[in-house]
Amino acid sequence: MAKFSSGNRIPLKNGTAVVKNKLGEGGQGNVYLAEMNGCEYALKWYHTNSLKNPAKFYDNLINNIEQGSPSPVFIWPKDVTEIIDGEFGYIMDLIPSEYKCFSDFLLTREKFPSVRSVVNAALNITNGFRELHRRGFSYQDLNDGNFFIEPQSGAVLICDTDNVAPYGESLGIAGKARYMAPEVVRNLKAPDVMTDRFSLAVILFRLLFLDHPLEGKRTLCPCLTEELEQKFYGKIPLFIYDKQENSNRPVRGVHCNVIKLWDLFPGFIREKFSCVFSQECLHGQKPRPSDNEWQIAFTRLRDCIVKCPCGGDTFVDLNEDVSFCINCEGKIPRPPVLISKKYAAALFPGNNIYRCHIDVDSDDYLHKVGEVIRSRNRPDVWGLRNTSGYDWKVTLKDGTESILQNGRVQIIAVAKSIDFGGCVGLIAM
Amino acid sequence: MANIYDDVVEVARRTMVLFFVVDTSGSMEGSKIGTLNQAIEDVIPEISEISQSNADAQIKIAVLAFSNSAKWITPKPVPAEDFSWDYLNASGLTAFGDACSCLNEKLSRNAFMSEITGSFAPAIFLLSDGEPTDEYIDCLDDLWKNNWFRKAIKVAVAIGEDANKEVLADFTGDPDAVLTAHNPEVLRKMIRFLSVTSSQIGSKSSSVGKANPDAAPSKQDDFIEQVQIASNSGDFAEDEVLW
Ligand SMILES: [Zn+2]
């Protein structure tokens, strides 16, 4: 394989990259730091004999570049190199140092400062995959090594997108047993959207609970051979909290995190995992929850986060009068709730409402349209500020109607409902 | 400020032991053992980094040296990040049979393989430049009955033309898993490449999607594939025959 040193000029389809130094090497090839038009990029250069079909791989890269990145979370190929002596590579953005590899969170080299950051990360990952799949791609090889998270905000970057291919195209990329769908582990099927959904569920599970959803009492064994991996992740996988079968429960002293964290999350989230890892879904007798279902579930989860007086973020059950803080076990009375068709958002100071809360046709969880604030003089008075850019129509409890202009605040306690323009949200106290 | 993620603990990882089984007989004296010592010492930080950033398994290192008899340099496997390489001296005979027996004894749940969170099969890296001087055949046969050994990634480097490559192939079970180094430069490259690659493959969940339906993948096959890619790319090309 060609080895580059500082100053080597690599011709690209649209320009030239100048190699600065080597950043790393792996089974598939080497990664270099390179410069182009005064900006720094990563240059990945392949061992072409590590690729099953280099010509197809090259064409796929070009196709992906032409299609463009489905979402800003992907570190997408920017340009391919020309083919030099049968070898090639591509350039992509560098990962900023504040983003930490997901395996660092599993190894607790990095920790999330709050459940809010974790839930944001879950939303960002899920949305990235939703957009990827909507554009007709599948990712194929999702594992703990290929995505990066900024711990505070939960912002996400997903790399290794050179393996991304249109549905039905297989680049012959082999994934890791621990993250691949049982039918892929058993070599019954090439990776596709449905198997991506399994990998996504494993990642989301580990993001929340750290431990692995299929590793419990039954998988503890002196030597995990390839045959046993084939069994535990392929032929007879069993969810650690399977509803019918309890022989693979997490083991005290080994799977400590999930034992501690599982019950702290609301039932509807646990239910989603129980569903995706049920025997029916594991064995493909029932479709796995879609990316959109996960995105809605995590939007709902974010909707019920409030700040406890202890300073920690916690979940409130919007159907119960009182919830208990997951950090200090203190009582938290239910805050006012904005109820729209699909969502119910806690109107708690510091929380925001988003496009998805005021528009029935939208699942946009990023575009902020309002914020809940606390009166500076009277902290027990909470208000909802309209930041949507247009006027809302508010109906008060006494029946009077008024217009809430963009930028203005409505005292929540006296409001009954808000007409966001075609979609009405009820305020429940 | 309280937060439920404050006291999460590192996920339970399996362990993968990388064994260096090193011939320290008299014929290794000089540039052979010198190069070997330095090359292994140099690759340890890289192995340590693979271990520390790996959520599947941590890597431990065990060293067995054999000359007049075999001797464990590490009384038990040592985590890669705590391991430092003691330079080995070369003198005496080539008690390869004794090395097989020692390995067989420790490849057991009651010895080196006693991790509560379990292990992956080990990676075993044999380096030798000669011919066994003891009755090794029965010992090697017994070793092959050990399941840990059978499942291990096995690789050997023959140092120089005098090494008995057939014996090394009997050890690895595969002539493709025996490489020959004829000079220090290539020995250094091989030690680095084989240690890193066997650690990477051995310490990760196995790669799937390549075999026949319901057939388990083989880490040894994946390993050999990587070795062949490197060989075919000319990574171990030798322009000088010194040994
Ligand atoms: Zn609290």
Side-chain angles (χ1 to χ4, degrees):
Chain A
M1 183 180 64
K3 295 201 165 78
F4 302 124
S5 42
S6 181
N8 282 158
R9 297 173 67 82
I10 315 293
L12 306 169
K13 283 264 179 226
N14 299 295
T16 306
V18 182
V19 172
K20 295 182 91 168
N21 53 277
K22 187 153 90 179
L23 294 173
E25 49 191 295
Q28 258 194 349
N30 294 342
V31 179
Y32 298 89
L33 178 66
E35 196 184 274
M36 191 179 65
N37 305 329
C39 295
E40 287 186 333
Y41 297 95
L43 167 71
K44 180 164 176 181
W45 191 259
Y46 294 96
H47 293 282
T48 35
N49 40 13
S50 76
L51 301 172
K52 227 177 187 174
N53 185 341
K56 188 173 171 186
F57 203 90
Y58 188 75
D59 289 344
N60 187 63
L61 275 174
I62 292 174
N63 180 52
N64 288 1
I65 292 164
E66 280 170 1
Q67 301 284 315
S69 177
S71 151
V73 305
F74 293 102
I75 300 281
W76 203 253
K78 277 203 143 37
D79 199 1
V80 284
T81 70
E82 298 288 355
I83 299 175
I84 305 172
D85 297 333
E87 297 182 347
F88 58 86
Y90 72 94
I91 59 158
M92 62 190 139
D93 283 331
L94 293 161
I95 296 167
S97 60
E98 60 271 26
Y99 286 78
K100 310 296 177 188
C101 186
F102 183 52
S103 23
D104 287 343
F105 291 88
L106 298 176
L107 295 167
T108 63
R109 290 166 138 195
E110 294 293 334
K111 287 183 182 181
F112 286 105
S114 75
V115 289
R116 192 178 283 279
S117 335
V118 175
V119 174
N120 283 338
L123 269 169
N124 293 328
I125 293 168
T126 307
N127 183 253
F129 277 85
R130 192 182 80 146
E131 296 307 315
L132 183 84
H133 292 152
R134 280 191 176 178
R135 299 278 194 96
F137 290 113
S138 71
Y139 185 87
Q140 315 210 353
D141 176 25
L142 192 56
N143 65 59
D144 58 61
N146 43 31
F147 60 101
F148 293 76
I149 307 169
E150 200 283 296
Q152 197 71 37
S153 65
V156 168
L157 288 174
I158 301 173
C159 61
D160 296 335
T161 53
D162 45 346
N163 299 336
V164 166
Y167 304 163
E169 285 286 323
S170 175
L171 296 172
I173 301 302
K176 279 164 72 176
R178 262 183 134 184
Y179 289 92
M180 299 308 273
E183 62 272 27
V184 177
V185 173
R186 295 179 62 183
N187 304 300
L188 302 177
K189 206 174 160 194
D192 63 10
V193 173
M194 201 49 82
T195 69
D196 268 4
R197 284 185 188 173
F198 175 86
S199 308
L200 174 67
V202 175
I203 292 292
L204 292 172
F205 187 91
R206 302 201 77 182
L207 186 67
L208 268 53
F209 308 112
L210 281 85
D211 295 318
H212 192 287
L214 304 179
E215 293 172 12
K217 190 167 172 231
R218 221 187 46 170
T219 63
L220 275 187
C221 57
C223 182
L224 186 67
T225 60
E226 295 92 319
E227 287 77 13
L228 285 175
E229 286 197 78
Q230 179 78 192
K231 206 169 128 186
F232 297 150
Y233 306 111
K235 284 182 207 158
I236 48 164
L238 178 60
F239 182 41
I240 52 176
Y241 289 115
D242 187 273
K243 287 184 173 169
Q244 267 83 48
E245 175 58 57
N246 65 6
S247 60
N248 198 29
R249 290 285 184 261
V251 176
R252 240 157 244 297
V254 180
H255 310 110
C256 313
N257 299 311
V258 73
I259 291 176
K260 188 184 148 208
L261 298 170
W262 176 250
D263 285 323
L264 299 181
F265 280 77
F268 68 90
I269 284 291
R270 283 180 278 141
E271 199 52 48
K272 268 257 147 340
F273 286 112
S274 295
C275 168
V276 70
F277 297 125
S278 68
Q279 287 296 300
E280 292 86 349
C281 281
L282 283 171
H283 292 296
Q285 291 143 350
K286 233 175 82 182
R288 300 183 175 121
S290 68
D291 310 325
N292 204 44
E293 284 175 63
W294 281 110
Q295 186 177 314
I296 292 169
F298 279 108
T299 304
R300 286 180 180 157
L301 185 59
R302 189 181 60 180
D303 283 347
C304 66
I305 297 176
V306 304
K307 198 168 263 323
C308 172
C310 76
D313 285 323
T314 185
F315 306 112
V316 285
D317 186 335
L318 299 177
N319 298 311
E320 297 290 336
D321 293 340
V322 173
S323 299
F324 296 90
C325 173
I326 57 173
N327 308 292
C328 72
E329 294 175 23
K331 274 189 188 174
I332 313 223
R334 180 181 48 210
V337 184
L338 175 70
I339 301 168
S340 57
K341 204 159 184 188
K342 223 187 301 183
Y343 298 96
L347 295 176
F348 193 87
N351 286 15
N352 299 318
I353 62 169
Y354 298 85
R355 181 102 220 138
C356 60
H357 295 113
I358 67 164
D359 178 352
V360 253
D361 298 323
S362 172
D363 282 315
D364 186 344
Y365 67 94
L366 280 172
H367 179 181
K368 189 175 125 182
V369 296
E371 57 194 16
V372 183
I373 56 160
R374 202 185 279 275
S375 158
R376 234 170 283 147
N377 309 325
R378 295 177 53 200
D380 55 328
V381 175
W382 300 350
L384 176 63
R385 175 180 282 131
N386 176 0
T387 63
S388 67
Y390 53 87
D391 296 348
W392 296 344
K393 207 190 304 169
V394 180
T395 304
L396 300 182
K397 283 186 173 151
D398 64 10
T400 56
E401 291 185 357
S402 63
I403 296 294
L404 186 68
Q405 288 173 330
N406 182 52
R408 302 303 295 266
V409 178
Q410 170 64 48
I411 292 174
I412 293 167
V414 299
K416 188 173 151 222
S417 66
I418 303 174
D419 185 340
F420 298 106
C423 171
V424 178
L426 296 176
I427 293 175
M429 300 305 286
Chain B
M1 188 183 84
N3 159 31
I4 56 169
Y5 289 102
D6 285 347
D7 31 80
V8 291
V9 295
E10 183 187 297
V11 292
R13 290 194 287 168
R14 295 185 190 265
T15 298
M16 200 281 307
V17 183
L18 170 62
F19 286 87
F20 288 104
V21 181
V22 183
D23 179 347
T24 52
S25 62
S27 55
M28 286 285 290
E29 210 188 343
S31 64
K32 289 179 184 168
I33 197 75
T35 305
L36 182 151
N37 277 322
Q38 211 176 55
I40 299 185
E41 182 178 44
D42 288 348
V43 79
I44 298 299
E46 226 173 311
I47 309 264
S48 168
E49 180 46 37
I50 296 171
S51 175
Q52 286 175 284
S53 60
N54 181 355
D56 290 348
Q58 67 162 332
I59 300 171
K60 291 186 177 179
I61 295 172
V63 183
L64 178 65
F66 60 100
S67 54
N68 287 335
S69 64
K71 184 182 164 232
W72 287 103
I73 307 298
T74 47
K76 59 179 183 18
V78 181
E81 59 270 32
D82 301 333
F83 179 84
S84 66
W85 179 259
D86 279 334
Y87 273 48
L88 300 171
N89 294 320
S91 70
L93 302 172
T94 310
F96 176 67
D98 196 31
C100 292
S101 302
C102 284
L103 199 53
N104 193 12
E105 184 200 338
K106 296 298 183 192
L107 285 174
S108 154
R109 244 185 121 168
N110 304 316
F112 281 6
M113 301 295 155
S114 59
E115 306 289 338
I116 299 164
T117 51
S119 300
F120 282 123
I124 302 173
F125 186 177
L126 171 66
L127 296 120
S128 176
D129 76 331
E131 185 87 39
T133 54
D134 60 354
E135 292 299 328
Y136 73 93
I137 292 180
D138 288 348
C139 307
L140 184 55
D141 277 354
D142 285 344
L143 180 57
W144 265 99
K145 288 176 193 142
N146 183 315
N147 275 327
W148 291 96
F149 184 78
R150 295 167 75 98
K151 294 309 305 175
I153 291 175
K154 296 173 283 289
V155 62
V157 169
I159 306 173
E161 226 15 74
D162 296 339
N164 186 331
K165 286 189 232 168
E166 276 167 38
V167 174
L168 300 184
D170 286 344
F171 180 87
T172 61
D174 179 358
D176 286 341
V178 181
L179 281 75
T180 309
H182 290 103
N183 69 50
E185 162 92 28
V186 166
L187 178 59
R188 212 177 353 258
K189 281 188 187 165
M190 284 180 178
I191 287 177
R192 185 187 158 270
F193 179 83
L194 299 173
S195 315
V196 167
T197 309
S198 61
S199 297
Q200 276 167 340
I201 294 175
S203 68
K204 297 264 169 75
S205 171
S206 58
S207 52
V208 296
K210 288 195 290 196
N212 294 322
D214 281 338
S218 152
K219 288 185 175 181
Q220 178 78 10
D221 290 351
D222 286 351
F223 176 71
I224 296 296
E225 194 183 312
Q226 291 296 320
V227 172
Q228 280 167 347
I229 288 170
S231 301
N232 294 341
S233 313
D235 286 3
F236 310 129
E238 301 188 290
D239 18 74
E240 186 192 13
V241 175
L242 201 77
W243 298 324

